[in-house]
Every structure is written in structure tokens, then in C-alpha cells.
Amino acid sequence: MNIVQPPPLSPELIARFKAIVGEKYAVTDEADIAPYVTEERNLFHGHSPLILRPGSTVEVSAICKLATEHRIALVPQGGNTGLVGGQTPHHGEVVISMRRMDRIREVDTASNTMTCEAGVILQNAQQRAADADRLFPLSLGAEGSCTIGGNLSTNAGGTAALAYGVAREMALGLEVVLADGRILNDLSKLKKDNTGYDLRNLFIGAEGTLGIITAATLKLFPKPRAVESAFVGLKSPADALKLLEISRDEAAGSLTSFELLADIAVDFSVRHGIDVRHPLADRYPWYVLMELSSSRDDARATLEAILGRGMEDGIVDDAVIAANLSQRSGFWKLRDEMSAAQKPEGGSIKHDVSVPVAAVPDFIAEANAAVVKLIPGARPVPFGHLGDGNIHYNVSQPAGGDTADFMARWHEVNAVVFAIVLRMGGSISAEHGIGVLKRDELPEVKDKVAIELMRSIKAMLDPLGIMNPGKVL
């Protein structure tokens, strides 16, 4: 679609926007704007004349009405932790930062729901649920800074998707401000509601291109009474897949996380992470970080049985079960540091892909061979959520190579990796979204009728094209 090129904002129009949120919450100083127009990987750089920080849904509505009146393009932004450029104002749009809307409106333990505003930090939502003896299971490496609105807008996945699903499956209802300022109030707590189209799912995963999520009603779950974690060394992804099958047989629904980690990824975390230690005495080609959560006290016995079967079958070479909360946190810190730990190694070309679970070993083997053939010396760094087939297939530059030359081949590497993903019936975006990073590839991999319907929905809900223009489509 055509991208709206924002007209220069007149002083009078800036004053009208400021009046909506208050002078204190309108940012125009270039130095203060800087954190909103760059992102943590330093891959995308934008610019904006104005950052608005509304404190209520009514203020968001007023902003959208004024923007529609003057055809001013808007970019909604949560914690600015996105990895595909969806939250960046690439064309000088006005940024609507949702961070002030951080109120948890209600925790309802009878219906097992929590209603919170879009700017609530994910970690705060997790803690509020825990305070009520409940679990909100969405868990990401960026959970200390990402927001609920951003999680829903990108349909975030995370490490617990194996048991609880992705963000879409954790939301019962939404409050959304449309491009023209109308407010869709669909904050339902109901698990059963067959009154027409499921409008909620239009906005989850839409990356702010159809409207701005301002609040959500989220599902809560019983808080596990026992959580047991193990760090496992093994020879190959094929062995990891066999261990996953054993785990599912033994643990059934209590298997909540099953992460596959290449040795190079673990090595980077240990060498470059802060207070990160290798859990095992020896190194192995591959590792699994697995976790069981149970409402009973049988999680440890079940985990020991799984590892015992794995050793008997020659699948598991070594393993350690966390003896306490500190050791468990150490396992997860090693995992969470993996993306950041690649930075000191130079350029990194990243992929967030998914393939059928059974195809993961073949995908990694084929992708490794293809990438190294394309760029001799390139270092594949695969890791991710084996339990749901979502692999973060990252590629670090050759040791000592030129970073700029390597990063200039981003799309070449994408083409090689994506071709294997699609041949195996996978997806080029598992949990990070499309943004601008994968926008141009989307029409090539998505069903053509689906693309037509997406464009029609966009045209209906945002006829002026002012909502996060140039993203997704």
C-alpha cells in the first residue's frame, strides 16, 4: 500500500496534540526523542517530530481523531523491544508511546482473569498474578521492559508457549482505539461467546496497523506448586527430539518449556554474559533446558524418570537438575543472554522461523550447510523453542571478518534460510512479527487470497493509511 508521507507539523498542530496529553507528556526535544526512534539491536533508525505519551484511552482516542482530521501518520510503541522494526517511525511519523498507561485495572481470581492497560510491563503483570496466587505464563527475555500491548500486537510467543500457547491464546478480550478515534470495547472475561465475528483476533498480531490496543483481559492459570528445571547435554538435535518425545510421554501436560541450545550459543553466553556460568562440567555439541511445572509434588520424580530413560537409551550424556531457585535462575539467565551475547562476536543475521517439530533436526543441518556454503566461515548460532518448532536461527559473522560486508548479505542469507523453511512447511516469522524486516518477503510466502483479505481489512479500518504505515503490508 502507499505510505503516508507525513506533512510537516505546524506549531499550531503540535500545540493541539500537546493539549491532549499535557505539555509534560509531549516530547519535542531531539535528545529526548532519540530513545524512541532507535531500537536495541541498532538495526533500525527512525525520526519523529513529536512523541506523545497518553495516560488514558480517551486521550489515545483524541489523538487518533486529530490525526485523522489532518492525515497525520502514527506509530504506536510499547517497550520498544521489537526486533523487526515495527515500532520505529521510519518516515517521521508521530509516536504514541503507551508506557504511561500502566495500570492493572482488575484481578479477578474467580474468573481467572486480569485486566490491564497496554503499557503494563510484562514482568509486572507476572508479579501481580503471582501476588494473587495465579500464573500469567507469557515469558520472554525482554519481560523486564516489554509491554502487554506490544506482546499482543506482535503475538509474542516465548518459552512457555509449549504448554500455554502464544499471546493470542492468553487474551480473552481487548480495548482498541481505531484510526478514526472510535473505541472498541471488547474487554470480555468470557471463555464462551459466539456472538458474531471474533474481532479481537484482528488486532492481535497486527502490529498496530489496524488500531491501537489500549487494554486487554488476560487469562490467568493456577500457580504451580512445584517447578523443576534441568540442563541437559547431548549429541544432536535428533537426540533432543527423542528426549522431547520421552518427556511428553512421562510428563504429559506438566512439560512447560523445552529449549534447544547449540554449544556455540551457550559458549557465547558464558563468555560474554554477566554472571553466567556453564551448568555442566564438560561441553557437549547440544543442550536442552527443560522445565516441568505441576500442581502436585511429583515434578522432580517425573523429571528424574525422564532423564533416567534418556540415559538408558543413550540420548542424554549428562544432566543437572536445579537444586534451588538460584540455580534455576542461572539456567534461564544463560538462555536469556543468548541474543545479547552475540553482539561482541560482530555482525549477526537473525531469523525467527518455525518448522514442524519433527523437521527441526533436518532444518538445522540443511540450513547450517547452506549458510556456510554461501559465506565460508559463517557461524550458525541456532537456539530456541524445540517444543513448538520455533528456532531462532542466527548467523554470526566469520571470526575476524568485516562486519559491514557480512551484514550487507542479510537478504542473501534470508533467501537461503527461508527457502529451506518453506520447503519444510514452515513460517518465516514465528513470534517476532513482520514489521519492515520481513514485509517485502510476506507476499511471496503468504497465500495470495490471504494477502488480498489483509489489504481489504487494512483499507476498511484505516482508509487514510495513518496507522503504522509501511509495516506488515
Side-chain angles (χ1 to χ4, degrees):
M1 68 178 290
N2 294 327
I3 298 173
V4 173
Q5 294 297 333
L9 286 181
S10 67
E12 292 78 16
L13 193 52
I14 289 177
R16 290 182 66 185
F17 276 120
K18 284 183 175 182
I20 294 171
V21 299
E23 186 81 26
K24 181 179 178 181
Y25 301 112
V27 182
T28 55
D29 180 78
E30 188 173 344
D32 293 334
I33 285 174
Y36 297 90
V37 298
T38 56
E39 43 80 47
E40 60 183 31
R41 292 199 315 201
N42 205 33
L43 190 62
F44 301 103
H45 303 271
H47 60 100
S48 175
L50 179 63
I51 312 297
L52 298 172
R53 302 180 62 229
S56 69
T57 302
V58 171
E59 289 181 3
V60 176
S61 173
I63 290 169
C64 289
K65 288 177 182 177
L66 184 57
T68 293
E69 180 184 343
H70 293 274
R71 295 182 68 100
I72 302 298
L74 305 172
V75 173
Q77 187 180 102
N80 195 17
T81 60
L83 298 174
V84 293
Q87 78 279 23
T88 305
H90 297 276
H91 306 283
E93 301 94 337
V94 171
V95 173
I96 304 180
S97 172
M98 302 298 291
R99 296 180 203 176
R100 279 186 65 219
M101 293 187 61
D102 61 355
R103 187 166 61 94
I104 295 177
R105 297 180 182 175
E106 180 190 43
V107 176
D108 183 346
T109 55
S111 62
N112 274 330
T113 62
M114 175 168 58
T115 302
C116 60
E117 294 178 339
V120 171
I121 300 295
L122 173 56
Q123 197 169 67
N124 294 343
Q126 295 168 343
Q127 185 58 53
R128 186 64 176 273
D131 292 343
D133 199 34
R134 296 293 187 272
L135 172 71
F136 182 60
L138 187 63
S139 181
L140 319 171
E143 61 193 27
S145 52
C146 65
T147 64
I148 293 298
N151 298 151
L152 293 171
S153 293
T154 58
N155 191 27
T159 56
L162 170 63
Y164 298 102
V166 296
R168 183 187 306 278
E169 294 162 281
M170 298 182 198
L172 287 169
L174 296 181
E175 178 185 85
V176 182
V177 176
L178 303 181
D180 60 9
R182 285 180 295 165
I183 299 171
L184 171 64
N185 188 350
D186 189 25
L187 287 173
S188 173
K189 299 180 183 179
L190 303 177
K191 290 181 171 61
K192 294 181 178 180
D193 183 357
N194 276 330
T195 54
Y197 302 141
D198 185 356
L199 300 177
R200 166 200 58 172
N201 274 321
L202 280 177
F203 301 97
I204 298 176
E207 301 182 45
T209 61
L210 302 179
I212 301 174
I213 295 173
T214 52
T217 301
L218 307 171
K219 295 179 185 177
L220 300 181
F221 296 83
K223 189 176 180 180
R225 300 305 172 197
V227 178
E228 298 288 347
S229 308
F231 196 86
V232 184
L234 25 71
K235 297 181 182 67
S236 68
D239 282 343
L241 186 60
K242 293 175 184 176
L243 183 61
L244 175 62
E245 293 171 357
I246 291 173
S247 301
R248 283 174 164 162
D249 288 344
E250 295 282 347
S254 64
L255 180 65
T256 47
S257 296
F258 200 94
E259 301 289 292
L260 176 67
L261 319 170
D263 177 59
I264 187 174
V266 171
D267 181 56
F268 285 178
S269 281
V270 171
R271 284 198 283 124
H272 302 303
I274 299 173
D275 294 328
V276 175
R277 294 174 176 81
H278 201 302
L280 300 176
D282 297 318
R283 289 178 60 173
Y284 298 89
W286 291 88
Y287 303 91
V288 161
L289 170 53
M290 59 184 296
E291 194 159 272
L292 273 61
S293 304
S294 176
S295 58
R296 302 189 300 272
D297 294 327
D298 59 351
R300 190 172 185 90
T302 303
L303 184 54
E304 289 173 347
I306 291 168
L307 297 175
R309 277 188 58 184
M311 288 180 174
E312 289 173 7
D313 294 350
I315 295 167
V316 172
D317 291 330
D318 196 6
V320 59
I321 298 175
N324 49 49
L325 182 58
S326 176
Q327 193 170 18
R328 176 187 173 226
S329 297
F331 292 174
W332 283 107
K333 184 172 177 57
L334 184 151
R335 165 64 179 86
D336 292 341
E337 290 281 341
M338 285 186 172
S339 292
Q342 292 168 64
K343 291 182 180 179
E345 296 291 329
S348 177
I349 297 175
K350 301 180 184 296
H351 306 86
D352 162 47
V353 299
S354 60
V355 296
V357 173
V360 168
D362 288 341
F363 161 70
I364 291 175
E366 289 190 33
N368 284 359
V371 165
V372 173
K373 181 179 180 181
L374 178 68
I375 305 178
R379 297 172 290 169
V381 189
F383 61 93
H385 322 302
L386 178 60
D388 52 38
N390 174 197
I391 300 298
H392 300 297
Y393 188 81
N394 299 345
V395 183
S396 284
Q397 70 177 64
D402 183 271
T403 298
D405 288 348
F406 177 74
M407 297 301 286
R409 304 190 71 179
W410 185 292
H411 292 291
E412 286 182 72
V413 176
N414 282 176
V416 166
V417 173
F418 289 165
I420 299 169
V421 168
L422 296 173
R423 178 161 47 78
M424 293 185 173
S427 168
I428 67 169
S429 178
E431 62 179 2
H432 290 168
I434 297 297
V436 295
L437 185 65
K438 300 180 181 181
R439 178 194 61 199
D440 295 339
E441 284 88 359
L442 187 63
E444 302 301 320
V445 303
K446 193 81 172 173
D447 176 78
K448 294 190 184 307
V449 174
I451 290 290
E452 290 173 3
L453 289 173
M454 288 170 66
R455 292 189 187 280
S456 297
I457 292 169
K458 170 71 171 174
M460 179 188 69
L461 291 175
D462 181 23
L464 299 181
I466 66 170
M467 298 301 295
N468 214 4
K471 316 295 172 53
V472 183
L473 295 173

